[in-house]
Amino acid sequence: MNAPKPAPRAGDSGIKPKALTLSVRVPTEDLSYPIRVGPGLLARLGREVGHAQDGVSKVAVITDDNVEPLYAAAARESLEAEGFAVSVHVVPAGERHKTPEQLVSLVSALVDAGLSRRDLVVTLGGGVVGDMGGLAAALFMRGVSVVQCPTSLLAQVDASVGGKVAVDLGTGKNLLGTFHFPRAVVIDTSVLTTLPPEELSSGLAEMVKHALLFDGEHLDQILAAADAIGRSDASVLAPLVAHSVALKAACVSRDPMEMSSSGKGRVLLNFGHTLGHAIEHASDYGVRHGEAVAIGIVAAARLSERKGVAAPGFEARIVEVLEQLALPTGLDQWLTGEQGKAVERALSRDKKRAGTKITYIALADVGEPATLPLPVPEILSLLRPQSAG
Ligand SMILES: NC(=O)c1ccc[n+]([C@@H]2O[C@H](COP(=O)([O-])OP(=O)(O)OC[C@H]3O[C@@H](n4cnc5c(N)ncnc54)[C@H](O)[C@@H]3O)[C@@H](O)[C@H]2O)c1
Ligand SMILES: [Zn+2]
């Protein structure tokens, strides 16, 4: 049977057209941005926004209901002094409000405030406000600029730098997000004086993480300043925050979009977080992020030592560091009994995302990170108290 011939198309000359390949290059955006750190910088926010981008007339400040009464007036005053029309948008504080619903109402608020694509969003708050406000800025009219003005220690040394923005889904943290690099980061270390002590510890755990990964001298400086840090002494904190942020920024700039799975890329910043996240999850978020990361750092030190990557005694050394900073170190309770099972389940969920193995971040020594691809059962058997087998 003859196959029916295709009907000739208009302009069909019978000659096969050559594949046409057009090469078009889009110039990449300059992703660099200034990070200013120091006491009293909130008073300079307006000027920093003016430098960050030309042509801004409206600024929307996104904050939460703890930070708003403390610092929104100062932010507004500084912005208005530079001639910007300011609107302030307040979200309820806390991780449980970092949701798609809050995100959509924030974007609607930006519409109502009459922002245009040339205008700008300032996030004023902890990591929740920075992540959710940054995502609202990334999505509103396909993206307006954001200046991050972090007010918790964790947001100052970690969340505000690196361009990751997100909200949580019921099924997991930060699952709805993107990269949206800020135009500037303005870090006023004086605002840390009002931060609750447990939130200060949370940020301290991330500072210790950066120091252990990249800079032993910085670790010594943190330990020498332990008392002043506990008192939130802004003059002592400012240079430490600046150094910690510089360590994160250097890592981010080597691998801005987290494409590298080993070496010196952003994956290293997961140090302490593999077990840390599992503990957070297993405790139903009863254990704070920073506390969980501190315990996760103990786990990473133990695994490094038992795997023969670090010298004997390394775990004890790291435990001592964390104890000097009043950070928790109680790992064993998370490896046995019901809590141990919950941690194992959480780790296995992590595993599904990464394939069969987790890229575990170990340390050969302070300042010498190493990536180890390991299956979950091996991680757990390396970590379990040796008497428990
Ligand atoms: N984007 C990233 O790269 C990145 C990195 C790390 C963490 N994060 C995210 O950051 C979030 C955690 O950040 P967080 O610890 O700042 O939490 P948070 O935003 O909930 O802030 C902690 C608490 O401190 C309050 N607060 C903030 N600044 C204050 C101040 N100066 N004085 C008094 N109270 C103040 C807040 O209202 C809140 O109650 C998580 O959602 C996490 O996923 C993001
Ligand atoms: Zn963290």
Side-chain angles (χ1 to χ4, degrees):
M1 204 174 98
N2 287 338
K5 278 191 181 157
R9 279 172 299 166
D12 200 345
S13 60
I15 303 169
K16 260 192 167 178
K18 277 191 185 151
L20 181 63
T21 313
L22 289 178
S23 180
V24 179
R25 280 178 187 276
V26 180
T28 33
E29 207 187 330
D30 177 10
L31 296 178
S32 67
Y33 47 90
I35 304 171
R36 312 261 183 243
V37 189
L41 273 188
L42 201 50
R44 281 187 54 95
L45 179 62
R47 258 178 288 173
E48 294 297 341
V49 166
H51 292 149
Q53 183 174 303
D54 291 335
V56 175
S57 65
K58 292 184 176 149
V59 175
V61 176
I62 297 176
T63 186
D64 74 21
D65 55 7
N66 289 334
V67 176
E68 190 270 335
L70 297 168
Y71 303 113
R76 178 190 279 279
E77 192 183 321
S78 166
L79 290 161
E80 286 180 347
E82 296 298 313
F84 299 116
V86 179
S87 56
V88 176
H89 309 273
V90 185
V91 296
E95 184 77 31
R96 69 193 172 90
H97 298 291
K98 195 175 140 184
T99 59
E101 293 74 22
Q102 276 297 337
L103 171 74
V104 171
S105 50
L106 267 180
V107 173
S108 304
L110 299 181
V111 176
D112 294 344
L115 255 73
S116 77
R117 292 206 60 202
R118 293 198 63 80
D119 291 325
L120 185 142
V121 166
V122 167
T123 61
L124 176 72
V128 167
V129 163
D131 276 15
M132 184 158 62
L135 184 57
L139 296 175
F140 171 68
M141 289 186 155
R142 299 193 183 84
V144 293
S145 297
V146 65
V147 166
Q148 295 272 1
C149 188
T151 62
S152 69
L153 184 58
L154 185 139
Q156 295 195 342
V157 299
D158 192 351
S160 64
V161 175
K164 284 187 178 178
V165 293
V167 293
D168 303 335
L169 298 181
T171 38
K173 271 187 70 164
N174 297 328
L175 289 181
L176 183 67
T178 185
F179 287 90
H180 189 53
F181 294 91
R183 287 279 164 176
V185 183
V186 180
I187 301 178
D188 183 346
T189 45
S190 328
V191 304
L192 297 174
T193 47
T194 55
L195 195 67
E198 62 278 12
E199 299 297 347
L200 197 82
S201 299
S202 223
L204 197 52
E206 304 285 1
M207 287 177 80
V208 170
K209 175 188 84 174
H210 295 157
L212 287 173
L213 280 171
F214 305 122
D215 190 343
E217 251 174 61
H218 180 52
L219 184 67
D220 296 339
Q221 289 161 354
I222 293 174
L223 290 173
D227 291 344
I229 294 172
R231 292 192 307 274
S232 307
D233 182 333
S235 61
V236 173
L237 274 165
L240 295 174
V241 167
H243 196 93
S244 191
V245 132
L247 294 174
K248 165 143 184 191
C251 180
V252 165
S253 67
R254 288 191 292 267
D255 176 26
M257 310 299 272
E258 199 165 349
M259 300 304 280
S260 149
S261 60
S262 64
K264 295 189 174 303
R266 280 186 89 144
V267 69
L268 295 181
L269 299 168
N270 285 336
F271 175 64
H273 281 62
T274 304
L275 213 77
H277 280 148
I279 290 172
E280 261 184 296
H281 211 88
S283 71
D284 207 10
Y285 296 93
V287 176
R288 285 166 189 280
H289 181 70
E291 292 170 11
V293 168
I295 300 169
I297 288 175
V298 176
R302 178 180 294 179
L303 189 141
S304 304
E305 185 178 332
R306 291 198 178 157
K307 192 79 183 152
V309 176
F314 191 61
E315 179 188 351
R317 213 172 118 203
I318 298 305
V319 165
E320 202 185 317
V321 163
L322 296 167
E323 281 174 349
Q324 282 183 55
L325 295 166
L327 290 167
T329 56
L331 171 60
D332 292 345
Q333 56 173 309
W334 294 103
L335 298 166
T336 49
E338 283 309 308
Q339 297 203 123
K341 281 186 197 140
V343 164
E344 186 168 354
R345 276 194 300 276
L347 273 182
S348 306
R349 256 197 304 276
D350 211 343
K351 182 186 84 171
K352 265 187 225 145
R353 253 177 277 150
T356 51
K357 291 178 177 173
I358 289 182
T359 304
Y360 199 92
I361 312 301
L363 288 182
D365 202 342
V366 175
E368 291 176 37
T371 49
L372 302 178
L374 290 175
V376 171
E378 186 176 348
I379 292 176
L380 286 166
S381 70
L382 281 164
L383 290 179
R384 285 212 169 96
Q386 279 176 338
S387 53

